Amino acid sequence: MKMVLLRICSVLLLVCFYQTIAFAANGDEASRIKAYQQEKNGTKKYWKLYQLGEYYRLNNVEKADSIRDYLLSASRQENDSARLQALVFDLKIDQLRGNRIAYYTKILQLQPFLSRLKSRVSQVVIYQYLADYHIAYREFEQAHLYLDEA
């Protein structure tokens, strides 16, 4: 009898734990949406939207896909770093959705940022994507050059 009662309690505890995690995840989404809606500063509002998009990319690709066009258009009023992040977000969504043609086409759009951005981290990210592009098209020597640069 004790074993049955112990198993029932374990199952109930496990169910409560999963519901708490699901509620916390929804609460995190709700807090991000609320923070975005309440932000007045345009640049800060953009970055709140970007954070919401990253949250969706990890937890709900459909929702991430639904806001990526808005994120891209909002990035046009921001600096080059924000624009780069929006483009990378967009191509990651294409990759997650399995749209290889769009993914590889958008990688080429990152190339002009190599001369515009001075951040070494941003340049390394771009070089890695360009190497990925050239590997996919079996241009291994060019990919090797980009990986060496990274």
Side-chain angles (χ1 to χ4, degrees), residues 46-97:
Y46 166 79
W47 287 110
K48 300 261 187 217
L49 180 64
Y50 177 78
Q51 290 172 351
L52 179 64
E54 283 295 314
Y55 173 81
Y56 283 152
R57 185 179 63 82
L58 297 174
N59 296 297
N60 190 335
V61 176
E62 295 296 323
K63 287 185 178 182
D65 189 27
S66 72
I67 68 167
R68 70 178 169 167
D69 288 332
Y70 184 72
L71 188 64
L72 282 169
S73 66
S75 72
R76 289 187 180 99
Q77 281 109 32
E78 301 301 325
N79 60 19
D80 285 338
S81 177
R83 179 78 177 141
L84 174 66
Q85 293 300 322
L87 288 170
V88 168
F89 176 81
D90 186 35
L91 70 90
K92 284 180 181 179
I93 299 302
D94 280 327
Q95 184 182 31
L96 287 172
R97 298 193 58 81

Side-chain angles (χ1 to χ4, degrees), residues 85-135:
Q85 293 300 322
L87 288 170
V88 168
F89 176 81
D90 186 35
L91 70 90
K92 284 180 181 179
I93 299 302
D94 280 327
Q95 184 182 31
L96 287 172
R97 298 193 58 81
N99 190 348
R100 293 175 46 113
I101 294 170
Y103 172 72
Y104 290 119
T105 301
K106 290 174 183 176
I107 286 176
L108 294 177
Q109 294 175 0
L110 303 178
Q111 211 162 12
F113 288 94
L114 286 171
S115 61
R116 285 193 240 163
L117 294 174
K118 302 302 179 209
S119 166
R120 194 70 186 139
V121 173
S122 297
Q123 291 175 347
V124 167
V125 168
I126 294 169
Y127 284 132
Q128 288 173 338
Y129 277 114
L130 289 169
D132 185 33
Y133 171 85
H134 289 289
I135 288 170

Side-chain angles (χ1 to χ4, degrees), residues 15-40:
V15 168
C16 290
F17 177 72
Y18 282 125
Q19 286 182 341
T20 302
I21 289 176
F23 179 74
N26 288 338
D28 193 36
E29 177 183 4
S31 66
R32 290 173 194 263
I33 291 171
K34 186 176 180 180
Y36 167 73
Q37 290 172 338
Q38 291 178 344
E39 186 60 56
K40 302 295 182 214

